[in-house]
C-alpha cells in the first residue's frame, strides 16, 4: 500500500491504546517531516511521543539531494513527493482523521511548503482536517553559512574528503549566487521556501520550537516568521530553548519537549473539532 518509491514509515496504535485515549473517536494522524539527512531511527524517537498517545504516525524524510540541490533550481521533485504523501492518507483510509504536521528544519519545511500548495490548489484535498503544525528548528532564510553546515552534517563522516569539499564548494557558490546575488531576479521564477511561506494562507495554529544557540537556523528568522504569522491572525506559540543546538531540543529537554507537543496537539483538537480526551500525564 502507498507509493512503492516513497520511503516512509507508518505506525498504527494498538486498538486498546487508541481507545483509552480517544474513546472511539478518530485518532489523530501526525505526519513527521524529517530534516535533511535524518535517519529514520532518529525520527522514530519523535513519533513515539505521539504513538504513546494513541496516534497514527507517518514518518518521511525528503532526499538530501532534492533539498540541497534540486529545490534551488525550482525542480518539481519535492512538489511531487508532497502529493504522494497526501495520497497516503487516502491509501490508508485515514483522510477523515484529524491531521497534525511536525516539521523539522528547512529540509522538512521545504516539503511542507508544497504540501500547503497542494492543499490550497486541489479542491478535493481541502476536506482534509489539518488541525495544526509544529515546527522544530525552522524555518531559516538565506543563511549561506548555516546551509553549508547543514549539508556538511548531512554528508556525514563516511563521505570522503575528495568528494566532500568539491560538493560543499559547488553548493556554497550555487546558494550564494541563486539565493543572494541573483535572488532579486530569480524569485520571480522560483521563490525560496521562506518567502513563499510568509504568505501562507492557512489559519490553523502553529508551535515553533527553536533556539538562539542554533548554528544552522538563525533564531531571528524563526522569530520573523512568528511575527508574520501572528500578523495574519494565526494563533502562534513559540518556545526558545536558549542553549540547545539544531534539532536537539528533544535530546536536551525530552520531558518539556514531549509535554509541549502533546499539549499543543490537545489544544488543536479541542479548538478545531471539539474532540476531548483524558488529560495526559507525562
Amino acid at each position: 500500500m502507498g507509493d512503492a518509491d516513497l520511503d516512509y514509515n507508518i505506525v498504527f496504535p494498538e486498538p486498546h491504546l487508541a481507545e483509552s485515549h480517544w474513546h472511539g473517536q478518530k485518532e489523530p494522524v501526525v505526519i513527521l517531516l524529517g530534516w535533511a539527512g535524518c535517519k529514520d531511527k532518529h525520527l522514530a524517537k519523535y513519533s513515539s511521543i505521539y504513538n504513546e498517545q494513541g496516534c497514527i504516525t507517518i514518518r518521511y524524510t525528503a532526499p538530501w539531494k532534492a533539498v540541497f540541490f534540486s529545490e534551488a533550481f525550482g525542480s518539481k521533485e519535492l512538489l511531487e513527493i508532497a502529493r504522494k504523501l497526501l495520497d497516503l492518507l487516502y491509501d490508508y483510509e485515514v483522510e477523515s482523521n484529524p491531521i497534525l504536521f511536525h516539521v523539522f528544519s528547512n529540509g522538512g519545511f521545504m516539503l511542507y511548503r508544497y504540501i500547503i500548495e497542494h492543499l490550497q490548489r486541489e479542491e478535493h484535498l481541502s476536506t482534509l482536517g489539518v488541525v495544526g503544525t509544529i515546527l522544530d528548528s525552522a524555518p531559516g532564510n538565506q543563511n549561506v553559512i548555516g546551509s553549508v553546515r547543514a549539508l556538511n552534517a548531512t554528508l556525514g563522516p563516511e563521505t570522503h574528503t575528495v568528494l566532500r569539499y568539491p560538493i560543499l564548494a559547488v553548493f556554497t557558490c550555487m546558494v550564494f549566487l541563486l539565493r543572494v546575488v541573483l535572488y532579486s531576479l530569480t524569485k520571480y521564477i522560483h521563490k525560496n521556501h521562506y518567502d513563499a511561506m510568509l504568505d501562507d494562507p492557512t489559519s490553523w495554529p502553529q508551535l515553533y520550537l527553536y533556539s538562539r544557540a542554533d548554528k544552522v537556523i538563525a533564531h531571528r528568522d524563526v522569530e520573523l516568521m512568528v511575527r508574520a504569522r501572528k500578523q495574519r491572525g494565526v494563533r502562534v506559540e513559540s518556545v526558545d530553548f536558549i542553549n540547545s543546538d539544531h534539532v536537539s531540543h528533544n535530546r536536551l529537554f525530552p520531558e518539556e519537549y514531549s509535554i509541549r507537543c502533546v499539549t499543543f496537539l490537545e489544544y488543536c483538537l479541542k479548538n478545531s473539532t471539539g474532540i476531548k480526551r483524558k488529560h495526559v500525564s507525562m
Side-chain angles (χ1 to χ4, degrees):
M1 187 174 290
D3 193 292
D5 298 328
L6 204 64
D7 187 14
Y8 68 93
N9 285 280
I10 184 168
V11 177
F12 287 86
E14 293 294 330
H16 72 277
L17 189 60
E19 175 61 29
S20 67
H21 284 286
W22 305 109
H23 316 295
Q25 299 181 83
K26 291 182 181 295
E27 61 270 52
V29 179
V30 181
I31 301 176
L32 299 99
L33 305 177
W35 60 95
C38 171
K39 291 181 171 55
D40 184 66
K41 66 179 182 180
H42 296 142
L43 202 56
K45 294 178 182 179
Y46 293 89
S47 66
S48 67
I49 295 172
Y50 303 105
N51 295 141
E52 291 170 2
Q53 305 303 320
C55 300
I56 301 167
T57 58
I58 298 174
R59 304 192 302 270
Y60 179 78
T61 299
W64 68 269
K65 292 179 183 178
V67 171
F68 287 108
F69 292 96
S70 301
E71 175 61 17
F73 291 100
S75 167
K76 296 188 180 301
E77 184 175 357
L78 291 180
L79 181 68
E80 293 168 357
I81 291 172
R83 178 54 196 266
K84 291 177 181 179
L85 279 173
L86 291 172
D87 286 343
L88 290 178
L89 298 171
Y90 295 90
D91 292 342
Y92 287 98
E93 300 181 345
V94 293
E95 70 275 9
S96 60
N97 293 47
I99 300 164
L100 178 84
F101 290 101
H102 195 139
V103 179
F104 297 87
S105 190
N106 274 349
F109 192 78
M110 289 178 186
L111 186 53
Y112 177 67
R113 168 214 182 153
Y114 291 115
I115 287 175
I116 298 303
E117 286 193 11
H118 281 300
L119 293 177
Q120 294 299 312
R121 291 177 179 176
E122 300 180 42
E123 186 175 352
H124 81 282
L125 294 176
S126 64
T127 59
L128 293 175
V130 180
V131 299
T133 301
I134 297 174
L135 299 108
D136 182 323
S137 306
N141 183 34
Q142 294 185 329
N143 183 350
V144 177
I145 295 176
S147 298
V148 173
R149 285 173 175 161
L151 177 56
N152 188 47
T154 299
L155 292 174
E158 63 273 12
T159 303
H160 196 280
T161 53
V162 173
L163 290 176
R164 177 188 299 275
Y165 291 116
I167 291 173
L168 292 175
V170 170
F171 176 71
T172 303
C173 294
M174 180 190 71
V175 171
F176 186 70
L177 184 64
L178 294 178
R179 292 305 182 208
V180 180
V181 177
L182 298 177
Y183 186 61
S184 60
L185 298 175
T186 60
K187 68 181 180 181
Y188 295 106
I189 301 172
H190 180 65
K191 274 189 178 181
N192 70 24
H193 57 282
Y194 193 93
D195 286 350
M197 293 300 280
L198 283 173
D199 298 322
D200 175 9
T202 62
S203 59
W204 53 73
Q206 293 186 324
L207 170 61
Y208 290 79
L209 306 172
Y210 69 106
S211 170
R212 61 186 62 247
D214 193 329
K215 295 181 177 61
V216 173
I217 300 294
H219 68 91
R220 292 181 298 276
D221 291 344
V222 177
E223 291 164 353
L224 176 61
M225 183 63 74
V226 167
R227 290 195 296 271
R229 301 303 292 147
K230 286 182 176 179
Q231 288 172 1
R232 295 183 71 94
V234 177
R235 185 187 187 280
V236 177
E237 298 177 27
S238 59
V239 181
D240 181 356
F241 285 91
I242 308 295
N243 57 7
S244 50
D245 205 351
H246 190 61
V247 292
S248 295
H249 320 312
N250 186 41
R251 180 172 59 83
L252 292 184
F253 307 101
E255 184 175 359
E256 180 182 359
Y257 192 97
S258 296
I259 290 175
R260 288 192 179 277
C261 290
V262 174
T263 302
F264 180 74
L265 171 61
E266 290 181 323
Y267 169 84
C268 292
L269 292 169
K270 180 180 179 181
N271 286 273
S272 64
T273 63
I275 292 177
K276 296 182 179 179
R277 54 172 294 188
K278 294 179 180 177
H279 180 70
V280 179
S281 57
M282 303 294 295

